[in-house]
Amino acid sequence: VFRLNLFYFTGMFFTTLAAFFLGSGTGDFLTLSLFFAFATLFPEAQLLLLVIPVKAKWLAWFYLALLVYGCLSFPFVAQVGVVISFLNYFLFFGPGFLKGQIQKGKVAARRAEFERNSLPEDESVHRCKVCGRTEISHPQLDFRVTEDGGDYCTDHLPKRSAAAS
């Protein structure tokens, strides 16, 4: 409740400043910023549009498209008012969005590094030290790695010593 009130009152503050300095009321966009906050937090929530269930994320994308299209026809002062009305949304959800984008970049870099370092499909991971069979040449075999780091098929596993048991 506190965070919702803080979000809404912050938006009211910015909207009031925009109306005072720019002379245009943008209160409808404050309510739209509240809907965008809901859609960001609960993107899979289903809302009934008349009797048709629509997910919040798709409705938010639709409203965003309408907003961008409408903003292109607004005069510059009204465009600034719209941006100021959404400052509360950017203030609350911008850092998380930026952090997510940075995380996506790091994941992509790690994935690319993993792909560069991964083995080709025709190269085996395991090769028996005794007979030389691999999981590619004999897919029905199981392989084990022993304490010395050697790979052995189950047919050639060395016997455990009495000290190891």
Side-chain angles (χ1 to χ4, degrees):
V1 173
F2 174 76
R3 291 178 64 187
L4 173 66
N5 286 335
L6 185 63
F7 178 84
Y8 202 71
F9 288 138
T10 304
M12 284 174 46
F13 174 74
F14 287 132
T15 302
T16 303
L17 283 178
F20 182 73
F21 288 112
L22 301 175
S24 63
T26 55
D28 294 339
F29 299 115
L30 174 62
T31 306
L32 192 57
S33 75
L34 188 63
F35 174 72
F36 281 139
F38 173 79
T40 301
L41 293 174
F42 307 105
E44 300 298 321
Q46 287 198 351
L47 306 171
L48 291 178
L49 189 64
L50 297 176
V51 292
I52 303 168
V54 179
K55 291 191 178 186
K57 65 181 173 184
W58 299 119
L59 201 54
W61 280 111
F62 176 72
Y63 280 138
L64 181 65
L66 285 178
L67 183 66
V68 168
Y69 177 74
C71 265
L72 294 176
S73 64
F74 291 164
F76 179 73
V77 173
Q79 290 175 353
V80 172
V82 169
V83 170
I84 290 174
S85 294
F86 278 94
L87 279 180
N88 61 336
Y89 180 80
F90 299 131
L91 185 69
F92 278 76
F93 294 99
F97 177 76
L98 291 176
K99 192 181 295 184
Q101 294 304 313
I102 291 170
Q103 184 66 22
K104 281 182 185 179
K106 288 180 181 178
V107 167
R110 281 195 306 267
R111 189 169 288 146
E113 181 69 24
F114 176 78
E115 291 295 327
R116 275 196 301 277
N117 294 333
S118 63
L119 294 173
E121 283 188 29
D122 59 342
E123 189 173 329
S124 66
V125 176
H126 302 287
R127 179 177 299 276
C128 180
K129 278 188 156 183
V130 177
C131 63
R133 295 187 287 187
T134 67
E135 74 274 4
I136 294 174
S137 65
H138 294 79
Q140 73 280 6
L141 285 178
D142 287 330
F143 290 86
R144 301 287 185 261
V145 179
T146 58
E147 292 175 357
D148 65 352
D151 289 332
Y152 295 94
C153 64
T154 51
D155 296 339
H156 298 108
L157 273 174
K159 301 293 180 218
R160 289 183 128 185
S161 64
S165 2

mmCIF file with all atom_site columns, all heavy atoms in Angstrom, residues 130-152:
data_model
loop_
_atom_site.group_PDB
_atom_site.id
_atom_site.type_symbol
_atom_site.label_atom_id
_atom_site.label_alt_id
_atom_site.label_comp_id
_atom_site.label_asym_id
_atom_site.label_entity_id
_atom_site.label_seq_id
_atom_site.pdbx_PDB_ins_code
_atom_site.Cartn_x
_atom_site.Cartn_y
_atom_site.Cartn_z
_atom_site.occupancy
_atom_site.B_iso_or_equiv
_atom_site.pdbx_formal_charge
_atom_site.auth_seq_id
_atom_site.auth_comp_id
_atom_site.auth_asym_id
_atom_site.auth_atom_id
_atom_site.pdbx_PDB_model_num
ATOM 1   N N   . VAL A 1 130 ? 41.014 -48.017 -21.206 1.00 0.00 ? 130 VAL A N   1
ATOM 2   C CA  . VAL A 1 130 ? 41.435 -49.379 -21.521 1.00 0.00 ? 130 VAL A CA  1
ATOM 3   C C   . VAL A 1 130 ? 41.150 -49.726 -22.983 1.00 0.00 ? 130 VAL A C   1
ATOM 4   O O   . VAL A 1 130 ? 42.047 -50.080 -23.746 1.00 0.00 ? 130 VAL A O   1
ATOM 5   C CB  . VAL A 1 130 ? 40.745 -50.390 -20.579 1.00 0.00 ? 130 VAL A CB  1
ATOM 6   C CG1 . VAL A 1 130 ? 41.111 -51.823 -20.955 1.00 0.00 ? 130 VAL A CG1 1
ATOM 7   C CG2 . VAL A 1 130 ? 41.113 -50.106 -19.140 1.00 0.00 ? 130 VAL A CG2 1
ATOM 8   N N   . CYS A 1 131 ? 39.896 -49.592 -23.397 1.00 0.00 ? 131 CYS A N   1
ATOM 9   C CA  . CYS A 1 131 ? 39.522 -50.053 -24.740 1.00 0.00 ? 131 CYS A CA  1
ATOM 10  C C   . CYS A 1 131 ? 39.378 -48.920 -25.753 1.00 0.00 ? 131 CYS A C   1
ATOM 11  O O   . CYS A 1 131 ? 39.286 -49.179 -26.957 1.00 0.00 ? 131 CYS A O   1
ATOM 12  C CB  . CYS A 1 131 ? 38.226 -50.854 -24.685 1.00 0.00 ? 131 CYS A CB  1
ATOM 13  S SG  . CYS A 1 131 ? 36.798 -49.899 -24.112 1.00 0.00 ? 131 CYS A SG  1
ATOM 14  N N   . GLY A 1 132 ? 39.309 -47.668 -25.316 1.00 0.00 ? 132 GLY A N   1
ATOM 15  C CA  . GLY A 1 132 ? 39.212 -46.536 -26.232 1.00 0.00 ? 132 GLY A CA  1
ATOM 16  C C   . GLY A 1 132 ? 37.821 -46.255 -26.762 1.00 0.00 ? 132 GLY A C   1
ATOM 17  O O   . GLY A 1 132 ? 37.646 -45.404 -27.628 1.00 0.00 ? 132 GLY A O   1
ATOM 18  N N   . ARG A 1 133 ? 36.804 -46.988 -26.272 1.00 0.00 ? 133 ARG A N   1
ATOM 19  C CA  . ARG A 1 133 ? 35.439 -46.741 -26.743 1.00 0.00 ? 133 ARG A CA  1
ATOM 20  C C   . ARG A 1 133 ? 34.942 -45.400 -26.181 1.00 0.00 ? 133 ARG A C   1
ATOM 21  O O   . ARG A 1 133 ? 35.348 -44.972 -25.106 1.00 0.00 ? 133 ARG A O   1
ATOM 22  C CB  . ARG A 1 133 ? 34.504 -47.870 -26.302 1.00 0.00 ? 133 ARG A CB  1
ATOM 23  C CG  . ARG A 1 133 ? 34.876 -49.189 -26.943 1.00 0.00 ? 133 ARG A CG  1
ATOM 24  C CD  . ARG A 1 133 ? 33.868 -50.261 -26.655 1.00 0.00 ? 133 ARG A CD  1
ATOM 25  N NE  . ARG A 1 133 ? 33.962 -50.712 -25.270 1.00 0.00 ? 133 ARG A NE  1
ATOM 26  C CZ  . ARG A 1 133 ? 33.302 -51.740 -24.760 1.00 0.00 ? 133 ARG A CZ  1
ATOM 27  N NH1 . ARG A 1 133 ? 32.484 -52.434 -25.518 1.00 0.00 ? 133 ARG A NH1 1
ATOM 28  N NH2 . ARG A 1 133 ? 33.439 -52.067 -23.509 1.00 0.00 ? 133 ARG A NH2 1
ATOM 29  N N   . THR A 1 134 ? 34.040 -44.755 -26.934 1.00 0.00 ? 134 THR A N   1
ATOM 30  C CA  . THR A 1 134 ? 33.485 -43.456 -26.522 1.00 0.00 ? 134 THR A CA  1
ATOM 31  C C   . THR A 1 134 ? 31.961 -43.546 -26.468 1.00 0.00 ? 134 THR A C   1
ATOM 32  O O   . THR A 1 134 ? 31.369 -44.532 -26.929 1.00 0.00 ? 134 THR A O   1
ATOM 33  C CB  . THR A 1 134 ? 33.871 -42.348 -27.523 1.00 0.00 ? 134 THR A CB  1
ATOM 34  O OG1 . THR A 1 134 ? 33.223 -42.594 -28.765 1.00 0.00 ? 134 THR A OG1 1
ATOM 35  C CG2 . THR A 1 134 ? 35.366 -42.255 -27.705 1.00 0.00 ? 134 THR A CG2 1
ATOM 36  N N   . GLU A 1 135 ? 31.344 -42.508 -25.930 1.00 0.00 ? 135 GLU A N   1
ATOM 37  C CA  . GLU A 1 135 ? 29.874 -42.498 -25.889 1.00 0.00 ? 135 GLU A CA  1
ATOM 38  C C   . GLU A 1 135 ? 29.283 -42.263 -27.274 1.00 0.00 ? 135 GLU A C   1
ATOM 39  O O   . GLU A 1 135 ? 28.113 -42.534 -27.509 1.00 0.00 ? 135 GLU A O   1
ATOM 40  C CB  . GLU A 1 135 ? 29.346 -41.447 -24.891 1.00 0.00 ? 135 GLU A CB  1
ATOM 41  C CG  . GLU A 1 135 ? 29.454 -40.014 -25.357 1.00 0.00 ? 135 GLU A CG  1
ATOM 42  C CD  . GLU A 1 135 ? 30.792 -39.373 -25.052 1.00 0.00 ? 135 GLU A CD  1
ATOM 43  O OE1 . GLU A 1 135 ? 31.699 -40.035 -24.550 1.00 0.00 ? 135 GLU A OE1 1
ATOM 44  O OE2 . GLU A 1 135 ? 30.916 -38.180 -25.330 1.00 0.00 ? 135 GLU A OE2 1
ATOM 45  N N   . ILE A 1 136 ? 30.118 -41.810 -28.215 1.00 0.00 ? 136 ILE A N   1
ATOM 46  C CA  . ILE A 1 136 ? 29.634 -41.636 -29.584 1.00 0.00 ? 136 ILE A CA  1
ATOM 47  C C   . ILE A 1 136 ? 29.694 -42.966 -30.334 1.00 0.00 ? 136 ILE A C   1
ATOM 48  O O   . ILE A 1 136 ? 28.758 -43.349 -31.027 1.00 0.00 ? 136 ILE A O   1
ATOM 49  C CB  . ILE A 1 136 ? 30.462 -40.559 -30.314 1.00 0.00 ? 136 ILE A CB  1
ATOM 50  C CG1 . ILE A 1 136 ? 30.215 -39.203 -29.645 1.00 0.00 ? 136 ILE A CG1 1
ATOM 51  C CG2 . ILE A 1 136 ? 30.113 -40.500 -31.789 1.00 0.00 ? 136 ILE A CG2 1
ATOM 52  C CD1 . ILE A 1 136 ? 31.065 -38.080 -30.178 1.00 0.00 ? 136 ILE A CD1 1
ATOM 53  N N   . SER A 1 137 ? 30.797 -43.705 -30.148 1.00 0.00 ? 137 SER A N   1
ATOM 54  C CA  . SER A 1 137 ? 30.927 -44.988 -30.846 1.00 0.00 ? 137 SER A CA  1
ATOM 55  C C   . SER A 1 137 ? 30.049 -46.074 -30.224 1.00 0.00 ? 137 SER A C   1
ATOM 56  O O   . SER A 1 137 ? 29.604 -46.976 -30.920 1.00 0.00 ? 137 SER A O   1
ATOM 57  C CB  . SER A 1 137 ? 32.387 -45.444 -30.854 1.00 0.00 ? 137 SER A CB  1
ATOM 58  O OG  . SER A 1 137 ? 32.833 -45.702 -29.534 1.00 0.00 ? 137 SER A OG  1
ATOM 59  N N   . HIS A 1 138 ? 29.802 -45.985 -28.937 1.00 0.00 ? 138 HIS A N   1
ATOM 60  C CA  . HIS A 1 138 ? 28.983 -46.981 -28.237 1.00 0.00 ? 138 HIS A CA  1
ATOM 61  C C   . HIS A 1 138 ? 28.004 -46.246 -27.303 1.00 0.00 ? 138 HIS A C   1
ATOM 62  O O   . HIS A 1 138 ? 28.256 -46.139 -26.093 1.00 0.00 ? 138 HIS A O   1
ATOM 63  C CB  . HIS A 1 138 ? 29.867 -47.947 -27.429 1.00 0.00 ? 138 HIS A CB  1
ATOM 64  C CG  . HIS A 1 138 ? 30.737 -48.804 -28.275 1.00 0.00 ? 138 HIS A CG  1
ATOM 65  N ND1 . HIS A 1 138 ? 31.913 -48.357 -28.829 1.00 0.00 ? 138 HIS A ND1 1
ATOM 66  C CD2 . HIS A 1 138 ? 30.574 -50.075 -28.699 1.00 0.00 ? 138 HIS A CD2 1
ATOM 67  C CE1 . HIS A 1 138 ? 32.459 -49.325 -29.531 1.00 0.00 ? 138 HIS A CE1 1
ATOM 68  N NE2 . HIS A 1 138 ? 31.664 -50.385 -29.476 1.00 0.00 ? 138 HIS A NE2 1
ATOM 69  N N   . PRO A 1 139 ? 26.894 -45.739 -27.827 1.00 0.00 ? 139 PRO A N   1
ATOM 70  C CA  . PRO A 1 139 ? 25.974 -44.938 -27.000 1.00 0.00 ? 139 PRO A CA  1
ATOM 71  C C   . PRO A 1 139 ? 25.285 -45.735 -25.890 1.00 0.00 ? 139 PRO A C   1
ATOM 72  O O   . PRO A 1 139 ? 24.788 -45.144 -24.936 1.00 0.00 ? 139 PRO A O   1
ATOM 73  C CB  . PRO A 1 139 ? 24.957 -44.396 -28.006 1.00 0.00 ? 139 PRO A CB  1
ATOM 74  C CG  . PRO A 1 139 ? 25.118 -45.185 -29.236 1.00 0.00 ? 139 PRO A CG  1
ATOM 75  C CD  . PRO A 1 139 ? 26.474 -45.804 -29.203 1.00 0.00 ? 139 PRO A CD  1
ATOM 76  N N   . GLN A 1 140 ? 25.292 -47.068 -25.970 1.00 0.00 ? 140 GLN A N   1
ATOM 77  C CA  . GLN A 1 140 ? 24.640 -47.868 -24.941 1.00 0.00 ? 140 GLN A CA  1
ATOM 78  C C   . GLN A 1 140 ? 25.500 -48.007 -23.681 1.00 0.00 ? 140 GLN A C   1
ATOM 79  O O   . GLN A 1 140 ? 25.000 -48.402 -22.635 1.00 0.00 ? 140 GLN A O   1
ATOM 80  C CB  . GLN A 1 140 ? 24.266 -49.260 -25.486 1.00 0.00 ? 140 GLN A CB  1
ATOM 81  C CG  . GLN A 1 140 ? 25.448 -50.201 -25.686 1.00 0.00 ? 140 GLN A CG  1
ATOM 82  C CD  . GLN A 1 140 ? 26.233 -49.963 -26.969 1.00 0.00 ? 140 GLN A CD  1
ATOM 83  O OE1 . GLN A 1 140 ? 25.996 -49.016 -27.700 1.00 0.00 ? 140 GLN A OE1 1
ATOM 84  N NE2 . GLN A 1 140 ? 27.202 -50.832 -27.231 1.00 0.00 ? 140 GLN A NE2 1
ATOM 85  N N   . LEU A 1 141 ? 26.780 -47.660 -23.734 1.00 0.00 ? 141 LEU A N   1
ATOM 86  C CA  . LEU A 1 141 ? 27.676 -47.804 -22.589 1.00 0.00 ? 141 LEU A CA  1
ATOM 87  C C   . LEU A 1 141 ? 27.530 -46.646 -21.609 1.00 0.00 ? 141 LEU A C   1
ATOM 88  O O   . LEU A 1 141 ? 27.231 -45.519 -21.996 1.00 0.00 ? 141 LEU A O   1
ATOM 89  C CB  . LEU A 1 141 ? 29.132 -47.858 -23.055 1.00 0.00 ? 141 LEU A CB  1
ATOM 90  C CG  . LEU A 1 141 ? 29.620 -49.144 -23.705 1.00 0.00 ? 141 LEU A CG  1
ATOM 91  C CD1 . LEU A 1 141 ? 31.071 -48.984 -24.138 1.00 0.00 ? 141 LEU A CD1 1
ATOM 92  C CD2 . LEU A 1 141 ? 29.488 -50.303 -22.746 1.00 0.00 ? 141 LEU A CD2 1
ATOM 93  N N   . ASP A 1 142 ? 27.759 -46.965 -20.349 1.00 0.00 ? 142 ASP A N   1
ATOM 94  C CA  . ASP A 1 142 ? 27.864 -45.930 -19.320 1.00 0.00 ? 142 ASP A CA  1
ATOM 95  C C   . ASP A 1 142 ? 29.339 -45.740 -19.016 1.00 0.00 ? 142 ASP A C   1
ATOM 96  O O   . ASP A 1 142 ? 30.122 -46.692 -19.010 1.00 0.00 ? 142 ASP A O   1
ATOM 97  C CB  . ASP A 1 142 ? 27.141 -46.364 -18.038 1.00 0.00 ? 142 ASP A CB  1
ATOM 98  C CG  . ASP A 1 142 ? 25.641 -46.319 -18.195 1.00 0.00 ? 142 ASP A CG  1
ATOM 99  O OD1 . ASP A 1 142 ? 25.157 -45.470 -18.976 1.00 0.00 ? 142 ASP A OD1 1
ATOM 100 O OD2 . ASP A 1 142 ? 24.945 -47.105 -17.530 1.00 0.00 ? 142 ASP A OD2 1
ATOM 101 N N   . PHE A 1 143 ? 29.712 -44.510 -18.730 1.00 0.00 ? 143 PHE A N   1
ATOM 102 C CA  . PHE A 1 143 ? 31.104 -44.203 -18.414 1.00 0.00 ? 143 PHE A CA  1
ATOM 103 C C   . PHE A 1 143 ? 31.180 -43.633 -17.009 1.00 0.00 ? 143 PHE A C   1
ATOM 104 O O   . PHE A 1 143 ? 30.273 -42.945 -16.549 1.00 0.00 ? 143 PHE A O   1
ATOM 105 C CB  . PHE A 1 143 ? 31.676 -43.200 -19.421 1.00 0.00 ? 143 PHE A CB  1
ATOM 106 C CG  . PHE A 1 143 ? 31.863 -43.788 -20.785 1.00 0.00 ? 143 PHE A CG  1
ATOM 107 C CD1 . PHE A 1 143 ? 30.821 -43.804 -21.694 1.00 0.00 ? 143 PHE A CD1 1
ATOM 108 C CD2 . PHE A 1 143 ? 33.072 -44.339 -21.147 1.00 0.00 ? 143 PHE A CD2 1
ATOM 109 C CE1 . PHE A 1 143 ? 30.990 -44.358 -22.945 1.00 0.00 ? 143 PHE A CE1 1
ATOM 110 C CE2 . PHE A 1 143 ? 33.251 -44.891 -22.403 1.00 0.00 ? 143 PHE A CE2 1
ATOM 111 C CZ  . PHE A 1 143 ? 32.204 -44.912 -23.308 1.00 0.00 ? 143 PHE A CZ  1
ATOM 112 N N   . ARG A 1 144 ? 32.276 -43.927 -16.340 1.00 0.00 ? 144 ARG A N   1
ATOM 113 C CA  . ARG A 1 144 ? 32.511 -43.415 -14.999 1.00 0.00 ? 144 ARG A CA  1
ATOM 114 C C   . ARG A 1 144 ? 33.880 -42.748 -14.960 1.00 0.00 ? 144 ARG A C   1
ATOM 115 O O   . ARG A 1 144 ? 34.801 -43.161 -15.661 1.00 0.00 ? 144 ARG A O   1
ATOM 116 C CB  . ARG A 1 144 ? 32.490 -44.551 -13.955 1.00 0.00 ? 144 ARG A CB  1
ATOM 117 C CG  . ARG A 1 144 ? 31.208 -45.324 -13.894 1.00 0.00 ? 144 ARG A CG  1
ATOM 118 C CD  . ARG A 1 144 ? 30.111 -44.492 -13.240 1.00 0.00 ? 144 ARG A CD  1
ATOM 119 N NE  . ARG A 1 144 ? 28.896 -45.240 -13.063 1.00 0.00 ? 144 ARG A NE  1
ATOM 120 C CZ  . ARG A 1 144 ? 27.848 -45.184 -13.860 1.00 0.00 ? 144 ARG A CZ  1
ATOM 121 N NH1 . ARG A 1 144 ? 27.872 -44.413 -14.913 1.00 0.00 ? 144 ARG A NH1 1
ATOM 122 N NH2 . ARG A 1 144 ? 26.776 -45.895 -13.616 1.00 0.00 ? 144 ARG A NH2 1
ATOM 123 N N   . VAL A 1 145 ? 33.985 -41.749 -14.115 1.00 0.00 ? 145 VAL A N   1
ATOM 124 C CA  . VAL A 1 145 ? 35.261 -41.073 -13.902 1.00 0.00 ? 145 VAL A CA  1
ATOM 125 C C   . VAL A 1 145 ? 35.758 -41.511 -12.531 1.00 0.00 ? 145 VAL A C   1
ATOM 126 O O   . VAL A 1 145 ? 35.037 -41.404 -11.537 1.00 0.00 ? 145 VAL A O   1
ATOM 127 C CB  . VAL A 1 145 ? 35.093 -39.537 -13.959 1.00 0.00 ? 145 VAL A CB  1
ATOM 128 C CG1 . VAL A 1 145 ? 36.413 -38.843 -13.707 1.00 0.00 ? 145 VAL A CG1 1
ATOM 129 C CG2 . VAL A 1 145 ? 34.519 -39.119 -15.300 1.00 0.00 ? 145 VAL A CG2 1
ATOM 130 N N   . THR A 1 146 ? 36.985 -41.989 -12.486 1.00 0.00 ? 146 THR A N   1
ATOM 131 C CA  . THR A 1 146 ? 37.525 -42.483 -11.224 1.00 0.00 ? 146 THR A CA  1
ATOM 132 C C   . THR A 1 146 ? 38.239 -41.367 -10.474 1.00 0.00 ? 146 THR A C   1
ATOM 133 O O   . THR A 1 146 ? 38.339 -40.242 -10.956 1.00 0.00 ? 146 THR A O   1
ATOM 134 C CB  . THR A 1 146 ? 38.508 -43.647 -11.491 1.00 0.00 ? 146 THR A CB  1
ATOM 135 O OG1 . THR A 1 146 ? 39.540 -43.176 -12.348 1.00 0.00 ? 146 THR A OG1 1
ATOM 136 C CG2 . THR A 1 146 ? 37.781 -44.827 -12.113 1.00 0.00 ? 146 THR A CG2 1
ATOM 137 N N   . GLU A 1 147 ? 38.757 -41.714 -9.292  1.00 0.00 ? 147 GLU A N   1
ATOM 138 C CA  . GLU A 1 147 ? 39.426 -40.723 -8.446  1.00 0.00 ? 147 GLU A CA  1
ATOM 139 C C   . GLU A 1 147 ? 40.653 -40.118 -9.116  1.00 0.00 ? 147 GLU A C   1
ATOM 140 O O   . GLU A 1 147 ? 41.003 -38.967 -8.870  1.00 0.00 ? 147 GLU A O   1
ATOM 141 C CB  . GLU A 1 147 ? 39.822 -41.354 -7.113  1.00 0.00 ? 147 GLU A CB  1
ATOM 142 C CG  . GLU A 1 147 ? 38.642 -41.713 -6.254  1.00 0.00 ? 147 GLU A CG  1
ATOM 143 C CD  . GLU A 1 147 ? 39.051 -42.442 -4.980  1.00 0.00 ? 147 GLU A CD  1
ATOM 144 O OE1 . GLU A 1 147 ? 40.256 -42.709 -4.799  1.00 0.00 ? 147 GLU A OE1 1
ATOM 145 O OE2 . GLU A 1 147 ? 38.163 -42.728 -4.176  1.00 0.00 ? 147 GLU A OE2 1
ATOM 146 N N   . ASP A 1 148 ? 41.318 -40.904 -9.985  1.00 0.00 ? 148 ASP A N   1
ATOM 147 C CA  . ASP A 1 148 ? 42.505 -40.381 -10.672 1.00 0.00 ? 148 ASP A CA  1
ATOM 148 C C   . ASP A 1 148 ? 42.135 -39.513 -11.874 1.00 0.00 ? 148 ASP A C   1
ATOM 149 O O   . ASP A 1 148 ? 43.003 -38.983 -12.558 1.00 0.00 ? 148 ASP A O   1
ATOM 150 C CB  . ASP A 1 148 ? 43.430 -41.528 -11.101 1.00 0.00 ? 148 ASP A CB  1
ATOM 151 C CG  . ASP A 1 148 ? 42.794 -42.444 -12.143 1.00 0.00 ? 148 ASP A CG  1
ATOM 152 O OD1 . ASP A 1 148 ? 41.592 -42.306 -12.429 1.00 0.00 ? 148 ASP A OD1 1
ATOM 153 O OD2 . ASP A 1 148 ? 43.525 -43.306 -12.681 1.00 0.00 ? 148 ASP A OD2 1
ATOM 154 N N   . GLY A 1 149 ? 40.835 -39.349 -12.147 1.00 0.00 ? 149 GLY A N   1
ATOM 155 C CA  . GLY A 1 149 ? 40.380 -38.495 -13.246 1.00 0.00 ? 149 GLY A CA  1
ATOM 156 C C   . GLY A 1 149 ? 40.250 -39.215 -14.566 1.00 0.00 ? 149 GLY A C   1
ATOM 157 O O   . GLY A 1 149 ? 39.930 -38.602 -15.572 1.00 0.00 ? 149 GLY A O   1
ATOM 158 N N   . GLY A 1 150 ? 40.481 -40.524 -14.588 1.00 0.00 ? 150 GLY A N   1
ATOM 159 C CA  . GLY A 1 150 ? 40.390 -41.283 -15.831 1.00 0.00 ? 150 GLY A CA  1
ATOM 160 C C   . GLY A 1 150 ? 38.961 -41.705 -16.128 1.00 0.00 ? 150 GLY A C   1
ATOM 161 O O   . GLY A 1 150 ? 38.172 -41.985 -15.226 1.00 0.00 ? 150 GLY A O   1
ATOM 162 N N   . ASP A 1 151 ? 38.625 -41.797 -17.421 1.00 0.00 ? 151 ASP A N   1
ATOM 163 C CA  . ASP A 1 151 ? 37.315 -42.268 -17.860 1.00 0.00 ? 151 ASP A CA  1
ATOM 164 C C   . ASP A 1 151 ? 37.406 -43.755 -18.158 1.00 0.00 ? 151 ASP A C   1
ATOM 165 O O   . ASP A 1 151 ? 38.347 -44.220 -18.819 1.00 0.00 ? 151 ASP A O   1
ATOM 166 C CB  . ASP A 1 151 ? 36.874 -41.541 -19.136 1.00 0.00 ? 151 ASP A CB  1
ATOM 167 C CG  . ASP A 1 151 ? 36.501 -40.093 -18.896 1.00 0.00 ? 151 ASP A CG  1
ATOM 168 O OD1 . ASP A 1 151 ? 36.067 -39.775 -17.780 1.00 0.00 ? 151 ASP A OD1 1
ATOM 169 O OD2 . ASP A 1 151 ? 36.629 -39.282 -19.834 1.00 0.00 ? 151 ASP A OD2 1
ATOM 170 N N   . TYR A 1 152 ? 36.401 -44.491 -17.695 1.00 0.00 ? 152 TYR A N   1
ATOM 171 C CA  . TYR A 1 152 ? 36.340 -45.925 -17.936 1.00 0.00 ? 152 TYR A CA  1
ATOM 172 C C   . TYR A 1 152 ? 34.914 -46.300 -18.280 1.00 0.00 ? 152 TYR A C   1
ATOM 173 O O   . TYR A 1 152 ? 33.964 -45.771 -17.705 1.00 0.00 ? 152 TYR A O   1
ATOM 174 C CB  . TYR A 1 152 ? 36.770 -46.729 -16.694 1.00 0.00 ? 152 TYR A CB  1
ATOM 175 C CG  . TYR A 1 152 ? 38.219 -46.536 -16.324 1.00 0.00 ? 152 TYR A CG  1
ATOM 176 C CD1 . TYR A 1 152 ? 38.593 -45.580 -15.394 1.00 0.00 ? 152 TYR A CD1 1
ATOM 177 C CD2 . TYR A 1 152 ? 39.205 -47.325 -16.904 1.00 0.00 ? 152 TYR A CD2 1
ATOM 178 C CE1 . TYR A 1 152 ? 39.913 -45.394 -15.052 1.00 0.00 ? 152 TYR A CE1 1
ATOM 179 C CE2 . TYR A 1 152 ? 40.531 -47.150 -16.556 1.00 0.00 ? 152 TYR A CE2 1
ATOM 180 C CZ  . TYR A 1 152 ? 40.875 -46.186 -15.638 1.00 0.00 ? 152 TYR A CZ  1
ATOM 181 O OH  . TYR A 1 152 ? 42.192 -46.003 -15.306 1.00 0.00 ? 152 TYR A OH  1
#
